[in-house]
Each structure stands twice: as structure tokens, then as C-alpha cells.
Amino acid sequence: QQQVRQSPQSLTVWEGGTTVLTCSYEDSTFNYFPWYQQFPGEGPALLISILSVSDKKEDGRFTTFFNKREKKLSLHIIDSQPGDSATYFCAASDDTNAYKVIFGKGTHLHVLP
Amino acid sequence: EAAVTQSPRNKVAVTGGKVTLSCNQTNNHNNMYWYRQDTGHGLRLIHYSYGAGSTEKGDIPDGYKASRPSQENFSLILELATPSQTSVYFCASGDENTEVFFGKGTRLTVV
């Protein structure tokens, strides 16, 4: 079964600090890697995504890195804010089986003021 | 704006009863998905569809059926609900290698 492994399961950081979330995957055919953010009582929403032809993508305080050789990706949040407290999911999909998006189990992030 | 609407938002069902969760999308996406979310398991794919009339099994299809009567609508059916199916269910829509849009979820409690 295709898997996307995500760590840590839970993370607490202080306001202003840098948050780092990581994921690994097995299937080398994956070529699209989105990160989703979920607030309590809401559905997940796309935060940032990267294609396998790139190794870095930035969007404001959020940056995702992709390492094709190691089959790893990460999400960095600089100047973390209490409003960033949420659950973050990494995911993966590929062109050969594009109907399925495989999600990691999520990371619960708590940013303390 | 892309929209996925789920109904009902909350449901209490009795064991052995039939439950139907409905989903409507206005995104004109080909693909639709049903996930359940449980603590410690993240999002798990139950069924998906790549167009009207099609349904495919996801990773945990046992005890669930799905129906895609039109491009816009995708239902999840629990013929004989069990307490183990108590969960939060999310419907989503998307196209290949693009953003998946989620509904707000349905909290189902089977007693």
C-alpha cells in the first residue's frame, strides 16, 4: 500500500520560532506534493504545494522543500504565530494514478504566545 | 469560488440503521472523494470517483458504498451502521495534480 509518513505527530513551538514538519514517501512515481492546513471544525485547505521538478517553493512565511533522491519533503514556517496552530497534512499524488491523493497522518501544531 | 457542500453536518444514527451522507460540488471537478478522519489515523480514503457513474474503492471501503449519479453529487452510504463507523467524514473534489477542495465535514455518531 502506498504510504506517506509524516512527523512529528504533535509539535509545540513558541511564537516567533521556526516550525519544521517532515514527510517521507515510498512511491517514486509521486510527482505532486501538497500541504494542507486544517483548523478545528473545518475541512483541510491547501496551504502550499510543490511539483517534483522543483526543490523549493515559498509563500510568505511558509516554505516547502523537496528532496527527490531521499524521497522526503518538509514544511518550514518562520516567525510562527498562534494563528498557525492547526493540523498540517502532507500529501502525494502522481499522474499514473491521479485519482488518488495519499495523505500523511497529520501533525498537530501548537504555537504558544 | 470552489465549493463543496456536505449534508448533514451532524448525524446520530442507531446501530443497524442506514445512513446516507450527501456531497455537492460546484467546481465541475471530475474527481470526488470520501475520507474519514480519526485521531491517530489522519485522513483515510473510503471511496472515490472519477466521473458520473463511476465509483472506486479506496483504502478502507468495507461497510461503505458510494454513488455518483452526476458530476456534482457524490453520496456515501452505510447500509448497516456500526459504532466503529463513528467518525468525521469529509467529502472532497479535485482534478489531476491540482488542489483538492474539502467540505466542512459531517460528524457521525452511531449509538
Side-chain angles (χ1 to χ4, degrees):
Chain A
Q1 181 181 359
Q2 297 173 330
Q3 285 191 355
V4 174
R5 292 186 172 86
Q6 187 170 351
S7 64
Q9 185 174 352
S10 181
L11 179 64
T12 300
V13 301
W14 292 104
E15 181 176 359
T18 297
T19 297
V20 180
L21 312 180
T22 62
C23 283
S24 64
Y25 63 96
E26 299 170 355
D27 193 329
S28 58
T29 65
F30 287 149
N31 58 7
Y32 172 65
F33 303 91
W35 288 88
Y36 284 82
Q37 181 187 53
Q38 183 183 28
F39 295 107
E42 298 290 327
L46 182 67
L47 178 66
I48 191 171
S49 64
I50 190 168
L51 293 170
S52 60
V53 294
S54 302
D55 56 15
K56 177 182 175 181
K57 186 172 182 181
E58 286 184 61
D59 185 357
R61 296 185 294 108
F62 301 89
T63 301
T64 183
F65 295 90
F66 175 68
N67 185 320
K68 188 173 185 176
R69 182 179 62 83
E70 295 186 7
K71 296 182 182 177
K72 291 183 178 179
L73 57 153
S74 62
L75 176 69
H76 293 232
I77 308 173
I78 62 171
D79 189 24
S80 299
Q81 299 296 308
D84 297 332
S85 298
T87 300
Y88 293 81
F89 294 96
C90 62
S93 66
D94 69 84
D95 291 332
T96 62
N97 192 11
Y99 308 119
K100 287 181 63 176
V101 179
I102 310 299
F103 284 86
K105 292 186 177 182
T107 295
H108 297 281
L109 173 65
H110 304 274
V111 182
L112 301 177
Chain B
E1 183 176 313
V4 178
T5 304
Q6 294 183 230
S7 62
R9 292 294 314 279
N10 292 280
K11 173 76 176 178
V12 178
V14 296
T15 299
K18 181 177 181 179
V19 177
T20 300
L21 305 183
S22 300
C23 179
N24 175 274
Q25 56 115 348
T26 59
N27 310 319
N28 198 32
H29 287 150
N30 291 322
N31 305 332
M32 295 188 73
Y33 312 85
W34 275 106
Y35 293 90
R36 64 178 284 176
Q37 184 174 28
D38 304 283
T39 302
H41 291 280
L43 291 162
R44 292 184 290 174
L45 182 64
I46 306 170
H47 284 288
Y48 62 100
S49 167
Y50 50 85
S54 84
T55 60
E56 302 291 336
K57 294 180 179 179
D59 298 320
I60 53 165
D62 293 346
Y64 302 94
K65 290 172 56 178
S67 174
R68 182 88 181 269
S70 65
Q71 178 82 342
E72 298 79 18
N73 296 295
F74 190 38
S75 298
L76 185 69
I77 303 153
L78 291 67
E79 294 279 4
L80 295 170
T82 69
S84 65
Q85 294 175 312
T86 293
S87 185
V88 180
Y89 291 85
F90 287 99
C91 176
S93 74
D95 282 329
E96 287 73 12
N97 282 5
T98 62
E99 179 177 359
V100 174
F101 292 88
F102 286 83
K104 292 183 178 294
T106 294
R107 184 173 297 275
L108 174 66
T109 304
V110 183
V111 297

